[in-house]
Amino acid sequence: MTAEIRGARRAMPPMLLALCLAAALSAPVHAQDEPSGPRVDSTRQGQRFDTDGNHAAARAIFLQLIETAPDPAAKAAAQRRMAISYGFEGNCAKAVGYEELVLGYWATRESAEPQNAFFQEGETANEAARLCIDAGDLATAERMYRRGNEMALKEPEPKTHPRSLWDYRLAHAMARLAARRGNAAEAQRQVDQARKILASDSAMAAGQARYLPYLVGYVALYTNDFTTAETELTKATELNKNDPFMQVLLAMTYEKTGRKDLAMERYRKAYDLATGHTPPAAFARPYAARKLGAP
């Protein structure tokens, strides 16, 4: 038993711990996404604990699932859940540590399923980067975004996703990072680059253009152009109705411009929407909870 498991277990009431671990010790499944079965029930319980703010309980479950994983794919799935769990607490270093383990798994799949493996490597590195930028570790976020782009572009033909997608995602990320660093000129340059990439591939743009107002609004918010931020983030929330992170960004804009009532409405909406176990929820749920004074 690792020290981390022991620490997580000590933080939980004995009866709750027993119930959590009983579920986690259930029968195995053999797929990366674990589509059904008792292990899935345990995973969902862990995710609920994170949503409720009980991260010690969540990690006790995820650590047990890692230890009892029936195969490398199931282990990687549990490690990814653990990374997201640390994202709820803004712990970039721990999140990246677990995402690196997931990357290690996909590296073992490059020969057997190269298209999927390199795609998943790009997705995993970008996920780690997203958790880190939201946690404020911009240097680590940039490193992981660039790694994600490099790994994804190694996918051989026939590619499951075009180069334009990964280049768009990288420009999107670099613009947000520049804005967070206060470099408005570089942020705008990257926004312009993202626009050009979208214009170059209409098929890719059909699925990705809805994230452009989010980008423009994010950059405007962090470079103190609150009029543009409000306009673009309002569009973003309409185009991405179930994304709690965009609701938080709009709430932050209202707060910056002194409209507390409107801000609280958006924080409440973000809190209610952030019921998933995803990077947007990992930031939005606890951030909105603090603003609302929720337990």
Side-chain angles (χ1 to χ4, degrees), residues 5-87:
I5 293 174
R6 289 193 295 269
R9 290 176 181 174
R10 282 197 297 270
M12 298 176 63
M15 182 60 72
L16 178 58
L17 174 63
L19 291 171
C20 291
L21 297 187
L25 287 166
S26 303
V29 295
H30 297 268
Q32 170 72 3
D33 294 329
E34 301 190 353
S36 63
R39 283 179 63 89
V40 172
D41 295 336
S42 297
T43 299
R44 289 173 179 163
Q45 181 62 64
Q47 293 175 173
R48 283 192 293 271
F49 278 135
D50 270 330
T51 300
D52 293 341
N54 192 346
H55 308 302
R59 288 199 284 272
I61 290 177
F62 297 141
L63 284 164
Q64 190 70 26
L65 289 169
I66 290 167
E67 283 200 335
T68 61
D71 55 44
K75 187 173 185 177
Q79 288 165 337
R80 186 180 177 199
R81 291 303 107 210
M82 182 66 81
I84 298 290
S85 182
Y86 277 112

Side-chain angles (χ1 to χ4, degrees), residues 149-205:
N149 181 263
E150 291 169 5
M151 290 186 287
L153 292 179
K154 292 179 182 178
E155 179 189 347
E157 298 290 349
K159 292 181 183 292
T160 55
H161 293 81
R163 182 186 183 105
S164 60
L165 172 67
W166 297 105
D167 288 345
Y168 173 68
R169 287 179 172 177
L170 184 61
H172 200 293
M174 293 302 107
R176 286 180 282 123
L177 284 163
R180 292 289 293 273
R181 289 166 170 152
N183 190 339
E186 175 61 15
Q188 187 57 55
R189 190 183 75 80
Q190 293 289 352
V191 169
D192 293 342
Q193 179 67 11
R195 290 184 191 278
K196 289 178 183 177
I197 296 168
L198 280 177
S200 74
D201 187 339
S202 59
M204 181 275 290

Side-chain angles (χ1 to χ4, degrees), residues 5-288:
I5 293 174
R6 289 193 295 269
R9 290 176 181 174
R10 282 197 297 270
M12 298 176 63
M15 182 60 72
L16 178 58
L17 174 63
L19 291 171
C20 291
L21 297 187
L25 287 166
S26 303
V29 295
H30 297 268
Q32 170 72 3
D33 294 329
E34 301 190 353
S36 63
R39 283 179 63 89
V40 172
D41 295 336
S42 297
T43 299
R44 289 173 179 163
Q45 181 62 64
Q47 293 175 173
R48 283 192 293 271
F49 278 135
D50 270 330
T51 300
D52 293 341
N54 192 346
H55 308 302
R59 288 199 284 272
I61 290 177
F62 297 141
L63 284 164
Q64 190 70 26
L65 289 169
I66 290 167
E67 283 200 335
T68 61
D71 55 44
K75 187 173 185 177
Q79 288 165 337
R80 186 180 177 199
R81 291 303 107 210
M82 182 66 81
I84 298 290
S85 182
Y86 277 112
F88 273 87
E89 290 190 314
N91 192 329
C92 167
K94 285 286 191 179
V96 170
Y98 278 96
E99 298 281 26
E100 290 284 5
L101 297 175
V102 180
L103 286 170
Y105 165 72
W106 285 112
T108 70
R109 302 299 302 163
E110 289 173 359
S111 295
E113 46 176 332
Q115 278 77 18
N116 187 41
F118 285 111
F119 170 75
Q120 294 294 343
E121 287 174 22
E123 290 280 282
T124 300
N126 277 12
E127 181 173 84
R130 174 65 185 273
L131 294 171
C132 288
I133 191 174
D134 290 344
D137 189 337
L138 305 185
T140 302
E142 179 170 357
R143 175 172 62 84
M144 295 306 292
Y145 274 127
R146 292 191 183 281
R147 276 187 68 195
N149 181 263
E150 291 169 5
M151 290 186 287
L153 292 179
K154 292 179 182 178
E155 179 189 347
E157 298 290 349
K159 292 181 183 292
T160 55
H161 293 81
R163 182 186 183 105
S164 60
L165 172 67
W166 297 105
D167 288 345
Y168 173 68
R169 287 179 172 177
L170 184 61
H172 200 293
M174 293 302 107
R176 286 180 282 123
L177 284 163
R180 292 289 293 273
R181 289 166 170 152
N183 190 339
E186 175 61 15
Q188 187 57 55
R189 190 183 75 80
Q190 293 289 352
V191 169
D192 293 342
Q193 179 67 11
R195 290 184 191 278
K196 289 178 183 177
I197 296 168
L198 280 177
S200 74
D201 187 339
S202 59
M204 181 275 290
Q208 297 297 315
R210 65 193 179 101
Y211 299 114
L212 186 63
Y214 151 50
L215 172 60
V216 177
Y218 186 109
V219 167
L221 172 62
Y222 280 100
T223 55
N224 300 318
D225 179 359
F226 301 124
T227 299
T228 300
E230 181 177 348
T231 298
E232 296 301 319
L233 291 171
T234 299
K235 291 178 189 175
T237 58
E238 291 169 354
L239 290 168
N240 305 274
K241 294 183 184 297
N242 295 319
D243 192 315
F245 183 75
M246 298 185 195
Q247 298 291 338
V248 166
L249 292 176
L250 185 54
M252 291 167 68
T253 304
Y254 287 139
E255 197 169 14
K256 289 280 190 181
T257 53
R259 289 172 288 175
K260 186 174 180 180
D261 289 346
L262 288 174
M264 291 303 109
E265 288 178 14
R266 291 292 176 166
Y267 283 131
R268 169 55 62 186
K269 188 166 186 178
Y271 183 84
D272 292 342
L273 284 172
T275 57
H277 206 251
T278 64
F283 177 83
R285 181 83 172 188
Y287 190 90

